[in-house]
Amino acid sequence: MALGRTLAVSLVGLTGHVIEVEAHLAPSIPGFSLVGLPDAALAESRDRIRAAVASSAIDWPQRKITVNLSPASLPKAGSGFDLAIAVAMLAGAGVVDGARVAGVVHLGELGLDGRLRPVRGVLPAVAAAVAAGHERVVVPAANAREAALVPGARVLGAASLGEMAWRYGADIAQPPPVPAVVAPVLAPSATPAADLAEVLGQLEARSALEVAAAGGHHLLLVGPPGAGKTMLAARLPGLLPDLTEAEAVEVTAVHSVAGTFDAGGGLMRRPPFEDPHHTATPAAVVGGGSGVPRPGAASRAHLGVLFMDEAPEFSPRVLQTLRQPLEHGELVIHRAGGSARYPARFQLVLAANPCPCGRAVGKGLECTCPPMARRRYWARLSGPLLDRVDLQVEVHPATRAELDGAGPAEASAAVARRVAVARQVQAERLAGTPWRTNAQVPGHWIRAALGADRSLMVDLDRGLDRGLLSLRGVDRVLRVAWTLADLAGRTAPGRAEIGQGLLLRTRGQGA
């Protein structure tokens, strides 16, 4: 019996499963069968492998070849199994040393000329292999730097199938060096290198931005065109602290699967910033695709900022799909080829005009929109979605008097230092819990920490009775109040912080 074995990794979402690749060669009518629930891209590997073997000056075995991907019940997707299947087949044919390849994880797509092409998701795949006890990993040369980011991995970057066959003892001449195939990286939405000092005036909106950064709160900015909503939102990532080591690995893994990670700069240390266009589809925002779904903008913004400019112009379907990640911090996407789970704990920032024409400011005398048009415009932002947004702020145009009387605007670095102090206070208070920021803390925990003094809740009780707040809204006001107390250096919020939190939540609802 001629049987060759090696290992590969199948990714389902960000979860990697080590796959045993078995190749059985029988003296029968030549053929090639691939079993183990492969998708279309994986089923086509037989033609790529045949051409790659011939291009590597290796004789194709004239036998019946059966390749099994075990466990067979787990769906497999993508072209990243090509190298593992080719190596297992060559081991079964006796071309390479089967003992040397049995415990090695092989990842990579084969070109028809035998060169190895990079694949997505190498970082989480290698991490899963190392966690399962398989430290030796072979990846395409273009993915070697990314794979080396995983602690404990013994990575070999290969340029071609011929190179690997020669290394494993094949009776062929050492292949000449070939240039590594470098796949283009989809340009990620880089964190804007913009400073808050460039925003003139807007003291109230700047204060709300600082509160949002300090507590991880979601934010709605409502104001006329040109008031500075987009400028403010683009500067929020600059106020956020760097990612921790574990967070950087998690964020980098998402971008690796999405194909938006360039390993040249190492792990992603800064919070990501995503700003999809208002014509984006639900699949583009929350993820999707045929077979096993890919992460969308919401997952790529994990532990960063998801900014939706002109929010009422987005499709209602897109906006409603955000309710799951806002509540649970993750997205579970189901498709016929399987389901995938991606983290999506982001800060949502919405920007909107007060009406379709954008001139319903103050008394709204210049607005030309019929009442029905304004009602239809704001109906796109449903009540359940807005109820999950902690801060709802009106951004008014800066007046000439405000600009003339203002001194130099405070820079992002100064605000970021206060945010870092507030985040540290929260980390100490929430030590031993699964939460990191005030925005993540459940309502029962906040109310218990606040104590039994009902006098603090007078304003919230009044807002609840008048219908300005839901029970969820009460909890969110309390979260904001804790953030205001952290920024002020207080050990707990008082009635002033709760009142200010209530004002920050209800200010934009009259728009």
Side-chain angles (χ1 to χ4, degrees):
M1 180 181 66
L3 185 64
R5 289 189 176 92
T6 191
L7 301 174
V9 176
S10 175
L11 283 178
V12 181
L14 292 186
T15 304
H17 303 271
V18 176
I19 303 298
E20 185 177 21
V21 182
E22 303 173 304
H24 178 265
L25 283 74
S28 180
I29 299 175
F32 193 113
S33 299
L34 181 63
V35 297
L37 290 184
D39 72 340
L42 180 51
E44 293 170 351
S45 64
R46 68 191 71 176
D47 299 314
R48 293 192 297 270
I49 293 171
R50 185 186 295 272
V53 168
S55 299
S56 303
I58 301 173
D59 293 332
W60 182 263
Q62 297 302 316
R63 283 181 275 179
K64 171 63 176 177
I65 303 171
T66 303
V67 176
N68 178 48
L69 307 177
S70 179
S73 59
L74 180 71
K76 290 81 174 182
S79 57
F81 292 86
D82 288 3
L83 178 59
I85 294 173
V87 168
M89 184 203 68
L90 295 177
V95 176
V96 302
D97 186 354
R100 295 175 61 183
V101 305
V104 181
V105 175
H106 294 85
L107 305 171
E109 174 187 334
L110 287 173
L112 300 184
D113 57 356
R115 288 193 295 173
L116 280 173
R117 299 180 177 274
V119 293
R120 295 179 177 182
V122 165
L123 181 71
V126 173
V130 172
H134 306 289
E135 296 87 4
R136 293 186 296 161
V137 182
V138 177
V139 300
N143 291 131
R145 186 177 296 180
E146 179 182 345
L149 296 174
V150 179
R154 296 162 54 191
V155 179
L156 173 62
S160 67
L161 176 62
E163 175 189 344
M164 289 311 304
W166 176 79
R167 286 178 179 271
Y168 287 139
D171 188 17
I172 59 174
Q174 181 177 358
V178 296
V181 180
V182 179
V185 177
L186 301 177
S189 299
T191 301
D195 199 289
L196 198 58
E198 300 168 2
V199 180
L200 302 179
Q202 304 296 356
L203 296 181
E204 294 182 355
R206 290 168 62 98
S207 176
L209 201 69
E210 180 177 346
V211 173
H217 304 287
H218 307 305
L219 175 64
L220 168 65
L221 299 171
V222 181
K229 304 185 297 295
T230 303
M231 287 187 67
L232 288 163
R235 282 148 181 80
L236 177 57
L239 308 182
L240 301 177
D242 290 340
L243 301 174
T244 65
E245 189 73 20
E247 292 170 343
V249 171
E250 190 173 24
V251 170
T252 304
V254 173
H255 285 260
S256 174
V257 174
T260 58
F261 171 59
D262 183 1
L267 294 175
M268 298 178 63
R269 302 289 182 178
R270 291 295 303 155
F273 179 82
E274 293 286 333
D275 55 344
H277 193 261
H278 64 261
T279 58
T281 63
V285 175
V286 301
S290 59
V292 178
R294 296 289 184 186
S299 292
R300 296 196 303 271
H302 178 56
L303 299 180
V305 177
L306 177 64
F307 175 47
M308 308 186 78
D309 201 4
E310 304 294 342
E313 300 296 340
F314 279 81
S315 164
R317 290 183 58 213
V318 171
L319 296 173
Q320 292 307 312
T321 55
L322 296 177
R323 288 164 60 178
Q324 182 193 32
L326 288 179
E327 281 293 319
H328 304 293
E330 65 177 5
L331 279 161
V332 182
I333 308 171
H334 299 276
R335 292 293 184 272
S339 61
R341 186 182 302 269
Y342 294 109
R345 191 173 296 282
F346 53 81
Q347 277 187 256
L348 178 64
V349 180
L350 305 173
N353 294 326
C355 66
C357 76
R359 292 182 288 182
V361 184
K363 296 183 179 180
L365 299 180
E366 298 181 2
C367 177
T368 59
C369 302
M372 184 57 68
R374 292 187 61 184
R375 191 175 299 113
R376 189 181 306 115
Y377 179 76
W378 276 98
R380 289 173 174 262
L381 298 179
S382 66
L385 177 64
L386 288 180
D387 203 35
R388 290 169 168 83
V389 179
D390 300 347
L391 307 174
Q392 303 179 21
V393 181
E394 285 186 349
V395 182
H396 299 284
T399 63
R400 178 67 178 272
E402 184 180 4
L403 297 179
D404 290 343
E410 194 173 26
S412 292
V415 180
R417 284 192 290 269
R418 293 198 297 270
V419 169
V421 172
R423 287 284 185 109
Q424 181 61 34
V425 171
Q426 293 169 50
E428 294 173 358
R429 183 171 62 247
L430 299 176
T433 71
W435 314 300
R436 298 172 50 252
T437 61
N438 289 330
Q440 301 172 6
V441 178
H444 67 85
W445 195 94
I446 287 185
R447 289 190 294 271
L450 196 61
D453 186 2
R454 291 298 302 175
S455 64
L456 298 175
M457 304 289 290
V458 171
D459 294 329
L460 296 182
D461 292 340
R462 187 181 299 115
L464 192 62
D465 293 339
R466 294 174 57 190
L468 292 177
L469 292 175
S470 64
L471 290 175
R472 180 195 289 123
V474 170
D475 291 340
R476 293 190 175 273
V477 170
L478 290 175
R479 294 186 181 111
V480 174
W482 273 101
T483 301
L484 291 168
D486 293 336
L487 287 169
R490 295 172 57 92
T491 57
R495 187 171 178 182
E497 285 78 19
I498 293 177
Q500 187 178 354
L502 180 61
L503 187 64
L504 285 171
R505 181 174 178 83
T506 59
R507 184 176 296 162
Q509 291 185 351

